[in-house]
């Protein structure tokens, strides 16, 4: 068999150009399934058991509250309580509304929680943008102060806060209470939003700046839409914090028509500390439902990807 000549005059052995190493097809490759060791199985079982225990710990108070709200007085005083009421009734709800102004108190709580959450978000968003994008000693000191301020107990700040509001004639005022809620929730909202802003790629803002957009236009048109999940999550936490807050409302509000729902719930306790258990459970259940429904309605926005669809391929 003669050698083949190439164009440059050199000879090539026969079959040299067709000598290729066969490649394995993708179907022939087998992925080895990792074997579960007994140690790994025990660890995974322990993790699931801990998770189920934590869920049971969280669900127990709500389930017991739900059961108590529908029990008649005879079952509430039974020495052998049951999870499911034997004779469920709505009398506890009727008595709760008859004994206390729950509707007006819920309106006061809703107003204070919604307005304070909105104002906290409007103030915290540009402040978080500055803290995340401007790196200097002042921004680091401000971030440290935000973290430290969360460690202050309520008892420590209530007296100077009361004196300040008294000087401004805002004691026993819904406006004063909303201002307190905004100031109290602002550090946490600022801390959360700062982390979300830092997760936004600066390349997007640089591209907007090259197109002639200023800082404010970049924040409103580029950064803010990407912060939507973070803004929703922060607003939810600010709303729930104000909705469930008790101490500030108890100290700052004296008029019965201005009191919030957590304060009104304490009125179901008698002079000797004996609770009217059925109406109290019914009212507490109604006070818990708005937070649960709100969280269930917007949980997809919270868990959604922050940068989904931000960059076009």
């Amino acid at each position: 068999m003669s050698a083949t000549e190439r164009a440059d005059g050199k000879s090539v052995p026969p079959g040299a150009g067709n000598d290729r190493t066969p490649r394995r097809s993708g179907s022939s490759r087998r992925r080895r399934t990792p074997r579960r060791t007994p140690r790994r199985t025990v660890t995974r079982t322990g993790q699931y058991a801990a998770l189920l225990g934590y869920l049971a710990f969280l669900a127990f108070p709500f389930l017991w509250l739900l059961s108590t709200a529908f029990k008649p007085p005879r079952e509430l005083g039974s020495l052998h309580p049951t999870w499911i009421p034997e004779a469920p009734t709505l009398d506890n709800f009727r008595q709760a509304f008859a004994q206390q102004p729950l509707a007006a108190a819920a309106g006061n709580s809703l107003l204070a929680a919604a307005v304070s959450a909105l104002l906290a978000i409007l103030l915290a968003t540009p402040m978080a943008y500055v803290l995340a994008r401007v790196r200097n000693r002042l921004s680091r000191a401000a971030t440290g102060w935000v973290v430290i301020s969360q460690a202050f107990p309520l008892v420590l700040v209530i007296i100077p806060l009361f004196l300040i509001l008294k000087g401004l004639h805002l004691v026993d005022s819904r406006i004063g209470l909303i201002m307190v809620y905004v100031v109290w929730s602002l550090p946490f909202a600022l801390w959360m939003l700062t982390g979300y802003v830092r997760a936004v790629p600066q390349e997007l803002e640089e591209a907007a700046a090259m197109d002639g957009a200023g800082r404010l236009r970049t924040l409103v048109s580029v950064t803010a839409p990407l912060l939507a999940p973070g803004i929703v999550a922060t607003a939810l936490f600010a709303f729930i914090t104000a909705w469930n807050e008790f101490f500030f409302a108890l100290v700052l509000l004296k008029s019965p028509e201005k009191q919030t729902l957590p304060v009104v719930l304490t009125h179901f306790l008698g002079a000797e500390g004996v609770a009217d258990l059925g109406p109290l459970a019914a009212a507490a259940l109604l006070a818990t439902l708005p937070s649960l429904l709100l969280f269930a309605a917007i949980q997809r926005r919270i868990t959604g990807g922050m940068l989904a669809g931000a960059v076009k391929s």
Side-chain angles (χ1 to χ4, degrees):
M1 187 177 293
S2 61
T4 305
E5 291 187 359
R6 297 193 312 186
D8 54 2
K10 297 181 179 181
S11 61
V12 180
N18 299 327
D19 189 9
R20 297 180 179 178
T21 304
R23 299 180 179 178
R24 294 181 180 179
S25 60
S27 59
S28 63
R29 296 179 180 177
R30 296 181 180 180
R31 296 181 179 179
R32 294 183 178 180
T33 304
R35 298 176 60 184
R36 288 190 175 182
T37 61
R39 182 177 180 180
R40 184 178 180 182
T41 303
V42 172
T43 302
R44 184 63 59 86
T45 304
Q47 291 175 349
Y48 282 118
L51 179 60
L52 290 176
Y54 182 67
L55 292 177
F57 174 77
L58 294 179
F60 174 78
F62 179 76
L63 294 178
W64 189 258
L65 181 67
L66 180 64
S67 174
T68 305
F70 291 94
K71 287 182 178 180
R74 180 179 59 83
E75 294 187 33
L76 291 175
S78 176
L79 297 178
H80 303 284
T82 58
W83 278 98
I84 301 177
E86 299 177 358
T89 179
L90 296 176
D91 291 339
N92 294 326
F93 295 90
R94 286 190 284 266
Q95 294 179 18
F97 280 96
Q99 294 178 13
Q100 301 296 335
L102 295 180
N108 294 332
S109 294
L110 180 61
L111 176 65
V115 175
S116 62
L118 178 61
L119 292 178
I121 291 299
L122 293 178
L123 293 175
T125 302
M127 295 169 63
Y129 181 80
V130 173
L131 290 180
R133 292 293 184 253
V134 179
R135 303 294 181 87
N136 52 31
R137 294 182 179 179
L138 182 60
S139 63
R140 288 193 292 268
T143 304
W145 174 252
V146 167
V147 176
I148 294 175
S149 64
Q150 296 299 299
F152 291 164
L154 296 179
V155 180
L156 184 64
V157 300
I158 188 61
I159 295 179
L161 186 61
F162 181 86
L163 295 177
I164 293 174
L165 292 178
K166 183 178 180 181
L168 297 175
H169 303 285
L170 291 177
V171 176
D172 196 20
S173 170
R174 296 186 181 93
I175 298 178
L177 183 64
I178 291 174
M179 291 175 58
V180 171
Y181 285 168
V182 172
V183 173
W184 189 253
S185 61
L186 188 59
F188 179 76
L190 183 60
W191 178 72
M192 282 193 64
L193 289 177
T194 301
Y196 280 100
V197 174
R198 288 175 179 171
V200 176
Q202 295 190 24
E203 290 78 5
L204 299 176
E205 300 177 359
E206 293 174 357
M210 293 179 62
D211 293 338
R215 284 285 187 180
L216 182 60
R217 181 64 181 276
T218 302
L219 176 61
V220 174
S221 302
V222 178
T223 309
L226 301 179
L227 293 178
I231 291 175
V232 172
T234 307
L236 175 63
F237 282 110
F239 178 88
I240 294 177
T241 300
W243 176 269
N244 295 327
E245 200 282 322
F246 169 76
F247 189 66
F248 287 136
L250 177 65
V251 175
L252 299 178
L253 298 178
K254 300 300 180 182
S255 301
E257 65 275 6
K258 298 179 182 179
Q259 291 179 344
T260 59
L261 193 55
V263 178
V264 172
L265 290 179
T266 61
H267 298 170
F268 289 98
L269 297 176
E272 299 179 355
V274 179
D276 196 355
L277 193 56
L280 175 59
L285 178 63
L286 294 177
T288 307
L289 288 179
S291 300
L292 297 178
L293 296 177
L294 180 62
F295 181 81
I298 64 177
Q299 62 175 343
R300 292 184 179 180
R301 289 185 175 271
I302 297 177
T303 58
M306 185 177 63
L307 299 179
V311 181
K312 296 181 180 179
S313 57

